[in-house]
């Protein structure tokens, strides 16, 4: 085992108190702004320490880092709230949320919608280290930004297959689950480990407090760009549409649709590729069972909740139609929501669409339901 890998292993995850102490040492902060995060993260840490999680030394390191990262984000965010009290006055009007099952084109569509110079999104490094977004020309001089870019570059060299599944770097607009997990709520944990007690706890939660803090984060991160519309995406918004609409009552929801058989198989493959070597139990059929349960439940919750809201706030996008005509799909979303499709927006969207077809960003992803103990019939029944 190389020295680099040895440095990323641990004999255990540690206790919740231990991880909190580590987060406080890292940030030099101790104000969490309340304890809304504590119940969920305690249950999660207990789950991760159990035999059911089956974590390896590498998995212990990775999962502990994920919990610590949520706590670091909460500590840093709380400090920024205090430093920038005027964030509370920033209006967030008609934000666009791209939602859909994993692997339904949400990432590509999100990036095209974000291309409009009048829009803003959550860049990866700001989801990890929230702060009012600095001017773009200063990012390369920021030590945190530079360190994250270096880490992503190394990851893509070491894991070329992963880049074909889901390309990321520090500048990429990314999912907003890292903000939601500041309140201990995230489907991401169940996508990366076998955590049955946490998953059961999460299924019974009201996410309104998580979305309230999510909004505070957007107000703070967008403090220097108050006139730009937010464009966000996260498959787990399916789980909590009522909470999202409570906090953002004028939200515009873009729902991406794809054959669930393809979506679930691809989602399982992403979970497997992300967690190679992390667990003796979160493999094969366990990944298949947990991901099918998670996303079929989210799917049904979304459609049950959606009936309560104004249909004019929703647009459905077919995956195949989007792949065939990405720019036309984006233009159709603008028309449906009565947004101005100005020449600058069209040019920017076309430029990003062309870029996405070049180099390392070109999708190259193979997967098979049978690898995860699932059949097409099982999946179709779960989503019926």
């Amino acid at each position: 085992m190389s020295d680099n890998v040895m440095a990323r292993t641990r004999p255990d995850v540690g206790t919740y108190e231990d991880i909190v102490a580590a987060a406080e040492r890292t940030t030099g902060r101790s104000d969490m702004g309340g304890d809304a995060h504590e119940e969920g993260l305690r249950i999660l840490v207990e789950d991760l320490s159990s035999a059911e999680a089956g974590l390896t030394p590498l998995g212990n390191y990775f999962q502990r880092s994920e919990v610590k990262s949520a706590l670091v984000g909460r500590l840093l965010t709380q400090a920024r709230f205090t430093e920038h009290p005027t964030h509370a006055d920033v209006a967030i009007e008609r934000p666009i949320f791209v939602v859909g099952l994993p692997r339904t084109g949400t990432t590509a569509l999100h990036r095209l919608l974000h291309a409009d110079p009048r829009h803003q999104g959550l860049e990866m490094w700001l989801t990890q280290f929230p702060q009012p977004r600095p001017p773009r020309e200063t990012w390369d001089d920021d030590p945190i930004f530079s360190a994250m870019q270096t880490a992503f570059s190394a990851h893509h060299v070491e894991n070329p297959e992963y880049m074909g599944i889901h390309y990321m770097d520090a500048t990429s607009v990314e999912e907003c689950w890292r903000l939601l997990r500041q309140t201990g709520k995230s489907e991401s944990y169940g996508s990366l480990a076998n955590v049955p007690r946490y998953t059961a706890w999460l299924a019974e939660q009201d996410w309104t407090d998580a979305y309230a803090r999510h909004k505070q984060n957007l107000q703070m991160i967008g403090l220097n760009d108050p006139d730009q519309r937010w464009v966000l995406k996260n498959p787990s918004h399916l789980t909590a549409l009522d909470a999202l609409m409570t906090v953002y009552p004028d939200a515009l929801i873009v729902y991406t649709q794809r054959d669930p058989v393809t979506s679930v198989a691809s989602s399982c493959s992403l979970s497997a590729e992300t967690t190679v070597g992390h667990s003796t139990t979160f493999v094969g059929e366990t990944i298949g069972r947990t991901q099918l349960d998670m996303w079929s439940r989210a799917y049904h919750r979304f459609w049950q909740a959606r009936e309560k809201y104004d249909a004019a706030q929703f647009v459905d996008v077919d995956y195949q139609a989007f792949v065939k005509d990405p720019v036309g799909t984006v233009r159709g979303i603008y028309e449906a929501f009565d947004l101005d499709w100005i020449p600058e927006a069209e040019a920017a969207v076309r430029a990003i669409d062309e870029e996405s077809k070049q180099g390392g960003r070109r999708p190259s992803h193979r997967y098979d339901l049978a690898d995860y103990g699932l059949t097409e019939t099982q999946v179709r029944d779960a989503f019926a």
Side-chain angles (χ1 to χ4, degrees):
M1 186 177 293
S2 70
D3 291 342
N4 189 39
V5 173
M6 283 291 290
R8 293 181 292 176
T9 61
R10 282 183 56 90
D12 54 45
V13 172
T15 66
Y16 172 76
E17 286 78 12
D18 176 39
I19 302 174
V20 169
E24 291 179 347
R25 285 194 303 271
T26 296
T27 60
R29 309 278 183 174
S30 60
D31 180 10
M32 293 278 187
D35 61 0
H37 62 288
E38 187 170 330
E39 181 182 7
L41 292 183
R42 279 188 179 278
I43 294 170
L44 175 64
V45 171
E46 290 172 3
D47 248 6
L48 292 171
S49 301
S50 71
E52 286 167 293
L55 297 184
T56 64
L58 178 62
N60 287 328
Y61 178 90
F62 177 85
Q63 294 296 345
R64 176 189 171 89
S65 296
E66 287 296 297
V67 177
K68 180 184 172 184
S69 182
L71 293 166
V72 166
R74 187 173 179 98
L75 287 163
L76 292 178
T77 293
Q78 201 60 38
R80 299 292 186 257
F81 290 164
T82 301
E83 292 167 10
H84 304 279
T86 58
H87 79 275
D89 301 323
V90 175
I92 296 181
E93 297 178 352
R94 300 187 81 202
I96 298 172
F97 287 84
V98 180
V99 306
L101 294 172
R103 321 309 297 163
T104 57
T106 55
T107 297
L109 182 55
H110 180 218
R111 289 175 178 166
L112 292 182
L113 287 167
H114 174 262
D116 189 326
R118 299 167 297 173
H119 291 171
Q120 63 180 312
L122 281 169
E123 291 83 6
M124 169 62 83
W125 76 294
L126 296 177
T127 69
Q128 299 273 38
F129 297 93
Q131 60 182 293
R133 186 185 296 106
R136 178 63 182 88
E137 61 271 16
T138 69
W139 291 8
D140 290 338
D141 297 325
D142 187 295
I144 292 175
F145 174 83
S146 297
M148 289 187 70
Q149 277 291 63
T150 300
F152 277 117
S153 296
H155 176 74
H156 293 325
V157 170
E158 294 173 7
N159 304 274
E161 291 186 15
Y162 188 88
M163 188 168 77
I165 300 175
H166 187 75
Y167 182 91
M168 291 186 297
D169 68 20
T171 67
S172 299
V173 285
E174 266 300 318
E175 297 178 351
C176 42
W177 55 264
R178 289 178 179 82
L179 303 185
L180 294 170
R181 71 179 180 177
Q182 290 184 17
T183 317
K185 299 181 176 74
S186 178
E187 298 285 14
S188 67
Y189 297 117
S191 296
L192 299 172
N194 186 30
V195 284
R197 283 166 292 276
Y198 176 79
T199 300
W201 172 85
L202 189 63
E204 300 300 321
Q205 297 308 299
D206 177 354
W207 291 57
T208 304
D209 60 345
Y211 279 91
R213 191 172 181 89
H214 179 279
K215 181 178 180 179
Q216 277 188 285
N217 270 276
L218 298 191
Q219 290 174 303
M220 183 266 293
I221 294 170
L223 186 61
N224 300 326
D225 306 291
D227 297 326
Q228 292 185 317
R229 185 193 308 276
W230 278 99
V231 180
L232 304 141
K233 80 105 170 175
N234 185 6
S236 69
H237 292 317
L238 294 172
T239 299
L241 182 63
D242 283 331
L244 188 158
M245 297 300 280
T246 297
V247 175
Y248 300 103
D250 60 351
L252 306 175
I253 310 296
V254 180
Y255 175 72
T256 56
Q257 303 180 87
R258 188 181 188 183
D259 182 351
V261 169
T262 303
S263 178
V264 169
S266 185
S267 176
C268 288
S269 177
L270 179 60
S271 290
E273 187 67 29
T274 306
T275 59
V276 170
H278 289 190
S279 171
T280 59
T281 61
F282 192 68
V283 294
E285 293 184 5
T286 300
I287 290 178
R289 172 178 51 79
T290 58
Q291 301 318 290
L292 180 60
D293 288 349
M294 175 189 299
W295 295 118
S296 61
R297 181 174 64 249
Y299 171 87
H300 290 298
R301 284 192 171 184
F302 173 78
W303 281 102
Q304 289 164 4
R306 178 171 166 169
E307 297 175 357
K308 306 172 189 175
Y309 305 103
D310 184 353
Q313 290 179 255
F314 294 81
V315 167
D316 297 317
V317 171
D318 177 74
Y319 176 80
Q320 298 300 335
F322 170 54
V323 170
K324 184 177 181 180
D325 185 8
V327 177
T329 298
V330 174
R331 183 174 62 247
I333 291 169
Y334 275 62
E335 292 170 354
F337 289 145
D338 196 25
L339 306 176
D340 291 333
W341 181 246
I342 61 175
E344 292 84 353
E346 180 170 0
V349 170
R350 289 190 181 279
I352 293 295
D353 181 45
E354 287 302 314
E355 179 188 344
S356 71
K357 299 172 183 175
Q358 309 301 319
R361 292 175 185 260
R362 187 183 297 113
S364 178
H365 185 200
R366 299 191 179 111
Y367 39 82
D368 189 337
L369 271 182
D371 293 339
Y372 307 101
L374 298 175
T375 65
E376 289 193 16
T377 300
Q378 279 179 282
V379 175
R380 295 198 190 285
D381 286 350
F383 285 87

